[in-house]
């Protein structure tokens, strides 16, 4: 390749294509052309050729000419524009392509007779510009990157404001009586200018106020709408009845600055936005068939026609068709009905169903969205009662505050009426403007939202922002053992008599289970066999059984399989075939390296260790945990739940840390339930957070950070109140014009948002710096 | 003083004309992509250098 070096096969392919077509100029535009591989996926896009879908996404579609606009998030530099606009040279059939850089989209005209829809999408993907296609919303993400209507409103308000000021000059400078007719003409022109400014540019405030009245509530736009309304009609009255010149200059200026404030605010929010990006979602993985091998891939990389395999207790990630003979699915996450539904080959299986029984294979039919699964996670059934305490307080406070503001405004207005009636309207308006408690409502969502994002970046994925609030109040921590404290195995060996065939059967059985010990056994057995299991059953946390080739195999605890339990310091899993005990797997699990340190850091908060296994490893656990930690073995899922709720009855706020399999009841019962996992897979909506196994050592840091978040929110409240109090007292005294009030208001909101964001980032940086 | 009224009506007309022009340009999408066109003019259709065919 002309002694050139490439980082990956993808870049080499791109270079080959470019070189072939003499488009190497691509490499002279930027120092580092090419794109990050983040967005590259291997979707087939075959669904784009469906007539119905084509109709949906194409801007224009006929037999010989189609126009489509793809949203391509990977567009990032001048080389991208150049490459994407030369598509017609790379591919016959493409007529023209045009990039919208700000909107990160590309519009392609092509001849569908020569190149299929799906092929266009594949071409883009092969170049590293995978289009993002969302069939649900149909609309592309905001293609301009800013709010057009706000800009237009701003322009109209600006023009109106400027001219009203200009025409008010005679008033400012004082004209003598002979020119009174001029003044009246100017005033009438002012009214004409003020109408679009008030009722077009300021429309949103009236609409919001009206909506809140319709819902018999009151929101923070009400005082503003009242202020605008009062100023406008008072001015019109003054002018028409020749009482005075009115306050139209103030009114127009007010609208103008309110809109500027909005513009700045939206810019600030955009930059500090805490929208969960894909990084703060848990990277849910699923087994996909790639070249006759099962490989874990991320759920949002699934595409239609992919073959996936779901194991017992795993959740179906996307709407699919069943490929295996039959399956039982539990749709309780979706419908609340916990009775499993029997599904046979060729039937639909819906996202969110949980498999009960032996593994099944599915053909994905619809693309899935991670946000759908997250919304499942936030289903009402899994909500905890005290969720959103602060939110409720803020809502209440904001509402009460609005009434207080209106009351203060009325009292101030009446007082000024007797004191200096000519200034009453201006003072009234300033009071209404400045007292708006909008900053109050922003402190908590921005602080928690940013915290959730930072946690996500460190491998701790929270269900929602409210969890942080609850984490801050935790005083007791309960650990699960297998899969949480221990992980992986140093040695797995079979003690007893078993041949390779039978071992392979055992492997099939354990592979169907998601229990951590099962996966260890599966990994350790080398022999292979392709047989179907019949009558597969798994009781969570203790045993699996099934018929393989007529042999009835049970894997599980000693009592269950009828084996004898020798006393040694390791976990044991027993096997029986046709009721005859064959021996046991002796598994010496390895303790996660960070556990010792984090347990000692958490100190007295670590209340108990619950294990579903026998007490074979109790000696090792005693080394890790202090004597005040209770070590309980042979705990059924029910016992674990009972233990957590008894702790809660003694007024403890409990955090349960488990593997999310045999302790989901306890996770749900606890105040904060956290599932620790290593390579994703099992998705348990009962938990509040998912922690990547290798980050367990940071647990104490996460707890400290959530406490700090509460402090930050409180400081934010303080700042907001401080602003309102100071500004309000100035406004009541008549020292604040409505104009200044309109400028101050967004500044206060922005400073609260800025403070909480910067504080969260600084605190997080300090905390995690130590960790490294 | 009539001249002032005349001047004001002219100035208002011009201002409103420009406002309308701005709103139109905004709505017709002229501000949709403020970066693309600035670099697009730099691209040139390079003649094939390797195989100069007539």
């Amino acid at each position: 390749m002309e002694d050139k070096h490439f980082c990956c096969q993808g870049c080499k392919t791109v270079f080959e294509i470019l070189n072939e077509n003499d488009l190497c100029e691509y490499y002279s535009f930027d120092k580092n052309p090419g794109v990050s591989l983040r967005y590259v996926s291997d979707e087939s896009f075959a669904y784009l050729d469906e007539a119905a879908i084509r109709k949906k996404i194409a801007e224009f579609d006929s037999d010989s000419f189609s126009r489509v606009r793809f949203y391509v998030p990977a567009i990032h530099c001048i080389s991208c524009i150049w490459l994407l606009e030369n598509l017609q040279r790379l591919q016959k059939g493409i007529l023209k392509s045009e990039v919208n850089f700000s909107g990160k989209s590309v519009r392609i005209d092509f001849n569908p007779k020569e190149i299929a829809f799906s092929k266009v999408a594949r071409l883009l993907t092969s170049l590293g510009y995978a289009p993002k296609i969302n069939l649900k919303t149909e609309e592309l993400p905001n293609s301009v990157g800013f709010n057009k209507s706000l800009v237009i409103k701003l322009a109209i308000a600006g023009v109106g404001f400027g001219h009203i000021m200009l025409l008010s000059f005679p008033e400012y400078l004082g004209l003598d009586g002979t020119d009174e007719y001029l003044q009246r003409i100017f005033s009438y022109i002012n009214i004409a200018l003020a109408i679009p400014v008030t009722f077009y540019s300021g429309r949103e405030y009236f609409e919001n106020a009206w909506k809140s009245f319709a819902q018999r509530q009151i929101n923070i736009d009400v005082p503003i709408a009242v202020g605008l309304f009062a100023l406008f009609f008072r001015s019109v009255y003054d002018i028409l009845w020749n009482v005075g010149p009115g306050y139209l200059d103030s009114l127009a200026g007010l609208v103008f600055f309110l809109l500027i404030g909005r513009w700045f605010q939206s810019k600030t929010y955009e930059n500090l936005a805490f929208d969960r990006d894909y990084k703060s979602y848990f990277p849910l993985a699923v087994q996909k068939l790639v070249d006759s091998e099962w490989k874990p891939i991320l759920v949002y990389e699934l595409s239609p026609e992919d073959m996936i395999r779901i194991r017992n207790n795993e959740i179906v990630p996307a709407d699919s068709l069943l490929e295996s003979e039959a399956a039982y699915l539990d749709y309780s996450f979706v419908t609340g009905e916990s009775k499993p539904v029997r599904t046979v080959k060729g039937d639909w299986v819906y996202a969110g169903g949980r498999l009960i029984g032996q593994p099944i294979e599915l053909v994905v039919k619809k693309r899935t969205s991670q946000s759908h699964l997250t919304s499942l996670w936030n289903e009402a059934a899994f909500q905890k009662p005290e969720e959103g305490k602060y939110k409720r307080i803020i809502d209440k406070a904001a509402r009460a505050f609005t009434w207080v503001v209106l009351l203060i405004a009325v009292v101030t207005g009446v007082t000024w009426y007797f004191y200096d009636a000519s200034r009453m309207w201006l003072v009234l308006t300033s009071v209404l403007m400045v007292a708006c408690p909008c900053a109050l409502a922003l402190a908590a969502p921005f602080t928690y939202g940013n915290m959730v994002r930072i946690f996500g970046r460190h491998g701790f994925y929270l269900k929602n922002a409210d969890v942080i609030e609850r984490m801050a109040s935790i005083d007791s921590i309960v650990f699960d053992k297998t899969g949480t404290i221990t992980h992986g195995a140093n040695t797995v060996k079979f003690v007893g008599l078993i041949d390779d065939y039978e071992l392979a059967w055992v492997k099939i059985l354990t592979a169907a289970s998601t229990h951590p010990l099962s996966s260890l056994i599966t990994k350790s057995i080398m022999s292979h066999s392709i047989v179907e299991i019949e009558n597969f059953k798994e009781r969570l946390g203790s045993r699996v059984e099934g018929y393989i080739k007529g042999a009835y195999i049970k894997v599980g605890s000693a009592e269950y399989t009828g084996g004898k339990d020798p006393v040694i310091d390791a976990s044991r899993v027993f096997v029986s075939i046709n009721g005859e005990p064959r021996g046991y797997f002796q598994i010496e699990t390895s303790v996660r390296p960070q556990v010792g340190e984090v347990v000692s850091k958490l100190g007295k908060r670590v209340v108990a260790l619950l294990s579903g296994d026998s007490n074979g490893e109790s000696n090792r656990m005693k080394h890790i945990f202090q004597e005040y930690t209770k070590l309980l073995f042979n705990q059924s899922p029910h016992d674990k739940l009972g233990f957590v709720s008894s702790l809660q009855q003694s007024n403890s706020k409990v955090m349960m840390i488990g593997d999310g399999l045999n302790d989901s009841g306890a996770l749900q019962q606890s105040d904060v339930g956290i599932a620790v996992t290593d390579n994703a897979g099992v998705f348990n909506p009962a938990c509040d957070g998912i922690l990547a196994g290798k980050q367990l050592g940071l647990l104490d840091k996460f707890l400290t950070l959530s406490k700090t978040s509460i402090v930050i929110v409180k400081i934010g409240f303080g700042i907001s109140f401080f602003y309102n109090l100071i500004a309000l007292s100035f406004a009541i005294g008549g020292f604040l014009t409505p104009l200044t009030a309109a400028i101050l208001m967004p500044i206060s909101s922005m400073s609260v948002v800025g403070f909480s964001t910067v504080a969260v980032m600084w605190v997080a940086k300090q905390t995690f710096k130590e960790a490294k | 003083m009539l001249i002032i009224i005349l001047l004001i009506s002219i100035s208002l007309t011009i201002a409103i004309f420009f406002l309308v022009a701005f709103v139109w340009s905004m709505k017709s999408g002229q501000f949709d992509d403020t970066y693309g066109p600035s670099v697009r003019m730099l691209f040139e259709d390079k003649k094939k250098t390797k195989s100069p065919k007539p």
Side-chain angles (χ1 to χ4, degrees):
Chain A
M1 283 306 287
E2 304 173 22
D3 56 88
K4 285 187 168 62
H5 298 284
F6 297 97
C7 60
C8 59
Q9 190 58 39
C11 290
K12 200 175 157 191
T13 321
V14 172
F15 177 77
E16 279 165 6
I17 299 173
L18 295 176
N19 198 28
E20 229 168 75
N21 293 281
D22 194 24
L23 287 177
C24 281
E25 209 181 334
Y26 174 60
Y27 293 95
S28 60
F29 281 113
D30 215 339
K31 272 186 186 151
N32 295 308
V35 279
S36 57
L37 280 167
R38 196 164 63 181
Y39 295 107
V40 177
S41 66
D42 52 352
E43 296 178 56
S44 72
F45 294 109
Y47 59 99
L48 290 181
D49 293 332
E50 290 275 334
I53 290 170
R54 257 174 72 165
K55 220 173 170 182
K56 236 179 173 179
I57 60 165
E59 284 182 1
F60 182 85
D61 193 14
S62 74
D63 283 344
S64 57
F65 180 83
S66 288
R67 169 174 290 172
V68 66
R69 199 151 73 96
F70 284 122
Y71 175 59
V72 182
I75 294 176
H76 72 294
C77 67
I78 178 169
S79 304
C80 306
I81 301 179
W82 187 81
L83 182 60
L84 285 173
E85 295 203 338
N86 278 297
L87 284 179
Q88 72 275 16
R89 292 214 243 170
L90 299 180
Q91 178 72 48
K92 210 176 149 244
I94 289 181
L95 305 168
K96 193 182 159 207
S97 52
E98 198 179 298
V99 172
N100 179 338
F101 188 82
S102 324
K104 290 195 184 305
S105 65
V106 54
R107 179 196 274 150
I108 299 173
D109 295 350
F110 62 97
N111 185 346
K113 269 184 193 153
E114 290 181 50
I115 175 170
F117 247 83
S118 57
K119 212 174 163 203
V120 175
R122 269 206 301 277
L123 173 70
L124 288 176
T125 310
S126 69
L127 292 173
Y129 299 99
K132 249 194 176 167
I133 297 164
N134 189 343
L135 296 173
K136 251 188 205 155
T137 59
E138 290 174 49
E139 297 234 332
L140 292 173
N142 189 353
S143 60
V144 192
F146 60 89
N147 188 341
K148 262 190 190 179
S149 79
L150 181 60
V151 174
I152 291 174
K153 281 178 185 164
L154 197 55
I156 290 171
V159 169
F161 178 41
H163 279 87
I164 290 172
M165 290 246 286
L166 200 68
L167 295 174
S168 300
F169 258 112
E171 193 58 43
Y172 297 156
L173 301 173
L175 285 175
D176 47 19
T178 49
D179 294 320
E180 213 191 312
Y181 74 100
L182 264 187
Q183 211 169 357
R184 287 191 61 106
I185 290 175
F186 288 168
S187 294
Y188 289 134
I189 300 178
N190 276 351
I191 293 183
L193 286 166
I195 289 173
V197 172
T198 316
F199 295 102
Y200 181 74
S201 297
R203 196 175 61 190
E204 217 164 312
Y205 295 101
F206 292 113
E207 278 174 357
N208 285 347
W210 180 252
K211 264 184 223 155
S212 80
F213 279 132
Q215 289 166 359
R216 290 168 187 275
Q217 272 178 351
I218 195 156
N219 66 13
I220 51 181
D221 278 339
V222 171
I224 297 176
V226 171
L228 294 179
F229 207 71
L231 268 186
F232 182 77
F233 283 100
R234 178 67 211 187
S235 307
V236 171
Y237 171 82
D238 278 4
I239 290 166
L240 293 185
W241 274 264
N242 213 358
V243 182
Y247 316 96
L248 291 173
D249 49 343
S250 291
L251 173 68
L254 191 60
V255 174
F256 182 65
F257 283 112
L258 279 176
L259 290 177
I260 289 212
R262 253 195 193 194
W263 167 263
F264 267 112
Q265 224 163 316
S266 70
K267 278 280 157 214
T268 323
Y269 296 168
E270 243 168 62
N271 292 338
L272 305 175
F274 55 81
D275 268 348
R276 293 181 150 196
D277 48 10
Y278 66 99
K279 268 187 237 158
S280 54
Y281 283 128
F282 179 66
L284 198 59
V286 70
Q287 304 250 317
K288 178 187 160 186
L289 190 67
V290 185
D291 305 329
S292 73
E293 240 182 288
W294 294 103
K295 283 187 180 154
I297 74 156
L298 294 178
V299 160
Y300 46 79
E301 284 172 5
L302 276 183
S303 43
E305 303 307 321
D306 279 351
M307 181 81 123
I308 56 170
R309 184 164 70 169
I310 303 288
R311 294 174 297 174
N312 187 23
N313 265 316
E314 281 185 340
I315 294 219
V316 177
D319 293 352
S320 342
L321 290 181
L322 186 63
E323 192 65 18
S324 307
E325 286 308 318
Y328 283 93
L329 286 149
D330 169 7
Y331 286 114
S332 57
F333 296 145
V334 189
T335 60
E337 170 64 59
S338 63
K339 206 175 153 214
V341 178
R342 195 182 132 88
T343 315
V344 292
K345 187 171 178 167
D347 278 359
W348 278 96
V349 174
Y350 301 100
R354 191 217 287 251
L355 177 70
I356 312 274
Q358 58 218 50
I360 51 170
E361 278 149 31
L362 301 167
V363 180
V364 176
K365 283 295 171 192
K366 284 189 189 158
R367 282 177 63 74
T368 190
S369 71
Q370 183 85 10
S371 54
H372 172 70
L373 291 174
T374 309
S375 71
L376 208 66
W377 203 8
N378 277 314
E379 234 355 89
F382 304 102
Q383 296 284 358
K384 297 197 171 160
E386 76 253 51
E387 237 158 12
K389 194 175 79 192
Y390 271 77
K391 199 170 174 285
R392 275 212 316 276
I393 292 174
I394 291 163
D395 282 351
K396 258 192 195 160
R399 222 169 290 157
F401 215 79
T402 313
W403 283 116
V404 172
V405 167
L406 290 177
L407 192 74
I408 293 175
V410 170
V411 172
T412 318
V414 171
T415 318
W416 274 89
Y417 179 74
F418 290 112
Y419 180 65
D420 183 356
S422 67
R423 290 176 63 194
M424 181 185 99
W425 292 101
L426 284 182
V427 172
L428 192 69
T429 317
S430 329
V431 169
L432 288 170
M433 291 300 136
V434 87
C436 155
C438 23
L440 195 69
L442 294 172
F446 268 84
T447 310
Y448 294 153
N450 278 313
M451 214 38 128
V452 167
R453 216 165 53 153
I454 284 167
F455 280 13
R457 230 175 279 154
H458 289 89
F460 186 27
Y461 306 92
L462 290 186
K463 180 154 114 178
N464 54 37
D466 296 327
V467 178
I468 294 198
E469 221 170 278
R470 274 180 284 137
M471 264 178 70
S473 61
I474 291 299
D475 53 21
S476 317
I477 299 169
V478 176
F479 279 97
D480 175 58
K481 197 192 78 174
T482 314
T484 309
I485 298 293
T486 60
H487 148 66
N490 291 335
T491 55
V492 180
K493 72 176 182 208
F494 189 81
V495 181
L497 271 173
I498 199 163
D499 63 34
D500 267 2
Y501 284 111
E502 288 165 336
L503 216 49
W505 294 345
V506 170
K507 181 180 181 172
I508 291 169
L509 204 59
T510 53
S513 155
T514 45
H515 191 275
L517 290 181
S518 305
S519 351
L520 291 180
I521 295 173
T522 314
K523 231 185 259 172
S524 71
I525 301 176
M526 291 304 151
S527 40
H528 268 293
S529 161
I530 307 161
V531 208
E532 287 286 314
I533 322 172
E534 279 156 48
N535 279 327
F536 175 84
K537 272 182 207 144
E538 175 168 18
R539 228 182 86 183
L540 284 188
S542 52
R543 64 203 195 194
V544 284
E545 62 180 60
Y547 284 93
I548 292 172
K549 280 202 157 175
Y552 179 50
I553 304 180
K554 295 208 268 188
V555 179
S557 63
E559 305 90 68
Y560 166 63
T561 51
K564 239 169 79 189
D565 202 350
V567 185
I568 39 161
D569 204 9
S571 291
R572 288 166 301 278
V573 175
F574 292 81
V575 176
S576 82
I577 296 175
N578 289 329
E580 178 194 337
R582 287 301 185 87
Y584 55 85
F585 287 97
Q586 183 174 318
I587 301 166
E588 200 186 303
T589 50
S590 52
V591 174
R592 285 183 201 276
Q594 325 88 334
V595 165
E597 198 190 341
V598 77
V599 164
S600 68
K601 269 189 193 155
L602 290 169
K604 294 240 167 179
R605 279 178 287 178
V606 184
V607 176
L609 170 81
L610 306 176
S611 173
D613 306 334
S614 59
N615 59 355
E617 285 183 323
S618 68
N619 278 334
R620 268 171 77 204
M621 290 302 135
K622 272 180 196 149
H623 285 298
I624 299 171
F625 290 95
Q626 305 295 324
E627 61 270 22
Y628 48 73
T629 305
K630 281 186 202 153
L631 304 179
L632 301 169
F633 292 92
N634 290 320
Q635 297 280 304
S636 72
H638 195 75
D639 296 338
K640 293 181 184 174
L641 196 157
F643 184 82
V644 170
S645 59
S646 72
L647 272 182
Q648 282 173 324
Q649 267 155 27
S650 56
N651 277 331
S652 295
K653 295 280 178 201
V654 184
M655 177 187 252
M656 172 81 203
I657 298 168
D659 57 8
L661 296 175
N662 50 14
D663 43 21
S664 59
L667 289 179
Q668 168 84 45
Q669 176 66 39
S670 64
D671 295 282
V672 178
I674 288 168
V676 178
T677 94
D678 289 289
N679 45 9
V682 185
F683 170 75
N684 192 331
C687 63
D688 298 301
I690 299 172
L691 180 62
K694 60 179 193 300
Q695 301 288 30
L696 188 64
L698 295 177
L699 189 65
D700 61 312
K701 299 236 158 39
F702 290 128
L703 283 172
T704 320
L705 274 182
S706 56
K707 276 199 181 140
T708 322
S709 313
I710 303 272
V711 176
I712 293 174
V713 169
K714 282 183 182 157
I715 296 176
F717 283 1
I719 294 177
S720 166
F721 266 114
F722 181 72
Y723 263 119
N724 280 329
L725 271 182
I726 302 264
L728 200 58
S729 52
F730 274 100
I732 293 173
F735 299 110
L736 207 65
T737 61
L739 279 191
T740 331
I743 298 170
L744 272 185
M745 212 180 59
I747 291 181
S748 86
S749 309
M750 282 190 289
S751 63
V752 168
V753 167
F755 164 77
S756 56
T757 310
V758 171
V760 164
M761 290 205 291
W762 186 78
V763 168
K765 209 175 157 193
Q766 291 300 315
T767 313
F768 290 114
K769 201 164 68 185
E770 291 166 37
K772 275 165 196 167
Chain B
M1 275 297 164
L2 208 69
I3 191 72
I4 288 188
I5 294 178
L6 188 69
L7 284 177
I8 283 175
S9 47
I10 292 175
S11 81
L12 264 180
T13 316
I14 294 174
I16 288 170
F17 168 76
F18 278 110
L19 182 65
V20 170
F22 174 72
V23 171
W24 169 78
S25 69
M26 199 73 198
K27 289 205 162 159
S28 69
Q30 293 182 28
F31 291 89
D32 284 5
D33 187 3
T34 46
Y35 178 75
S38 71
V39 296
R40 199 167 287 132
M41 61 175 275
L42 298 174
F43 302 147
E44 48 188 344
D45 292 327
K46 210 161 114 187
K47 301 266 167 353
K48 285 209 169 189
T49 43
K50 270 184 190 167
S51 50
K53 277 174 195 167

